[in-house]
Amino acid sequence: MISAFLFACLSLLSSPTRADNPPFKHCPPPKQPQAVTIAQVIDGDTVKLGDGRHVRLIGINTPELDHRQGRHQPLAQAAQRQLQQLLKAPGIQLQLGQQPKDRHGRLLGHLFLADGRNVEAELLRQGLGFALSIAPNLDLRRCHRQAEQQARSEQRGVWRLNAYQPKLITELSQTDGGFGLFRGRISRIGKLKRGHFIELDNKLFVAAQGQASLWIQENFVQLQKNSWIEIRGWISVRRLSKQQKSRGFLPFSLKLNHSDGLILCKNRC
C-alpha cells in the first residue's frame, strides 16, 4: 500500500490545471451538520463560535499568527483574512470530527458554506495552508489532499515561498521547533512497543503509530538505509541529559499517525 500523499505528489509532475476547472472532487457534505454563527476568526484555522466555543479546523494547518509580538509567519494574515471572507455569509454549518475535541479542549470540526463548499478545502486550494491527516479525523482527507495538490502544482500561496520549502534535516537548529516540511535520509528503522520508528540523518526521531506504523511494516523493504523521505508535522526540540546523549538519543522528534505525512523518494527528494 502506498500512501495517498505519495500519489498526490507524483501527480504534481503533470501540467497545472486551470483554477476554474479544479481537478479534485468537492468534499462530501456533512452528515450531522450543526448550524453555527461565527463570532471571531482567531487565525487561519481556528474560529470562535457565537456560543463561545472554539473550533480548530480539521485537515489543515495554516501559517501562524503571533498575537503577542506581531511576528507573523508569511501569509498568516492572508489566511486569516480569507477565512473571515469565507465565513461572512450566513448558513455556516459545523461537522464535528470522530474525535470531537483536542487536548486544549477546542472542538475539532469541519466548516461548510451554505452552497456546500468545505472551508478547509477552499483555503488549501488557494495555498493558504498545508493538508493534514491525523487519525481518527480522516473523513475529508482525500479531497483535502487533492485541493492541496492543485495549489502545489500551480505554485500558489505557501508553495511559491522559499520560507515554506522543505528543510533539510541536517540543517535543523535549536530554533526550528514547530510545524514544517522536512527532508532527509533514513539512518535507522525499528520497532517500538506501540509502533515503529524511523531515524533520519541521525538527527530526527520519528515515532510512528497507528496507520503510519502499519505502512512502515508493509513497506519495510523499500525503506532501505539512505532512502530519502519528505515528512511533514510538528518537530519538537528535545532537551537531553548527558546520559540520554551518551545513549544515542536524537535531538529532534516528530510524531506521525498517518502515512499521508510522508513521501518515500527513490533518490534525493
Side-chain angles (χ1 to χ4, degrees):
M1 183 177 105
I2 301 176
S3 76
F5 186 41
L6 176 56
F7 278 119
C9 289
L10 290 175
S11 300
L12 299 180
L13 299 176
S14 60
S15 59
T17 309
R18 287 172 54 90
D20 57 358
N21 185 24
F24 68 95
K25 296 181 180 178
H26 287 292
C27 296
K31 298 176 182 178
Q32 296 178 317
Q34 303 177 25
V36 295
T37 58
I38 307 300
Q40 181 185 1
V41 173
I42 296 173
D43 55 28
D45 53 37
T46 310
V47 302
K48 181 180 178 180
L49 301 180
D51 60 11
R53 294 179 297 171
H54 287 70
V55 178
R56 173 61 165 87
L57 300 183
I58 293 172
I60 186 172
N61 188 64
T62 61
E64 297 294 330
L65 285 175
D66 183 349
H67 293 286
R68 294 184 177 179
Q69 299 181 358
R71 298 176 181 175
H72 310 306
Q73 290 185 338
L75 296 180
Q77 291 174 298
Q80 182 190 40
R81 287 194 298 268
Q82 183 57 32
L83 184 55
Q84 289 170 334
Q85 185 65 32
L86 287 168
L87 298 179
K88 276 184 178 180
I92 304 300
Q93 293 186 324
L94 168 68
Q95 172 68 59
L96 293 178
Q98 292 185 42
Q99 177 185 332
K101 288 188 178 182
D102 66 8
R103 60 189 177 91
H104 303 292
R106 299 176 299 183
L107 295 178
L108 295 173
H110 301 287
L111 290 177
F112 290 83
L113 304 179
D115 62 9
R117 287 180 295 157
N118 173 248
V119 169
E120 304 94 73
E122 291 300 307
L123 293 172
L124 289 167
R125 190 165 60 143
Q126 296 179 44
L128 294 175
F130 300 90
L132 293 176
S133 297
I134 301 178
N137 295 332
L138 301 172
D139 289 348
L140 303 187
R141 56 176 278 267
R142 292 187 183 277
C143 65
H144 286 169
R145 289 288 165 180
Q146 290 168 342
E148 180 189 84
Q149 174 190 334
Q150 179 178 349
R152 194 169 189 175
S153 66
E154 295 175 355
Q155 292 293 290
R156 291 186 172 200
V158 296
W159 303 107
R160 73 171 184 269
L161 299 182
N162 289 333
Y164 295 114
Q165 297 306 304
K167 185 165 188 175
L168 290 176
I169 290 168
T170 53
E171 297 177 356
L172 287 176
S173 68
Q174 295 296 304
T175 61
D176 285 325
F179 182 86
L181 274 65
F182 308 94
R183 288 176 178 171
R185 290 188 300 180
I186 298 172
S187 48
R188 189 180 172 209
I189 312 171
K191 292 185 177 181
L192 299 169
K193 289 183 179 179
R194 297 184 179 179
H196 288 78
F197 71 85
I198 300 176
E199 293 183 353
L200 299 175
D201 291 308
N202 294 308
K203 201 168 186 178
L204 174 64
F205 180 87
V206 180
Q209 297 182 348
Q211 190 273 347
S213 177
L214 291 175
W215 186 89
I216 291 172
Q217 182 175 323
E218 293 169 358
N219 293 276
F220 207 87
V221 175
Q222 296 183 58
L223 294 167
Q224 299 298 321
K225 190 174 182 179
N226 295 326
S227 292
W228 280 82
I229 276 183
E230 178 179 301
I231 192 165
R232 66 177 63 190
W234 283 267
I235 276 188
S236 297
V237 180
R238 305 167 92 180
R239 297 180 180 179
L240 302 177
S241 65
K242 290 183 179 180
Q243 183 180 13
Q244 288 174 323
K245 290 179 181 178
S246 67
R247 292 173 58 189
F249 282 54
L250 302 187
F252 301 93
S253 65
L254 183 150
K255 294 181 180 179
L256 191 70
N257 79 356
H258 199 283
S259 61
D260 279 354
L262 60 85
I263 309 170
L264 176 62
C265 310
K266 291 184 178 179
N267 299 305
R268 180 167 177 163
C269 296

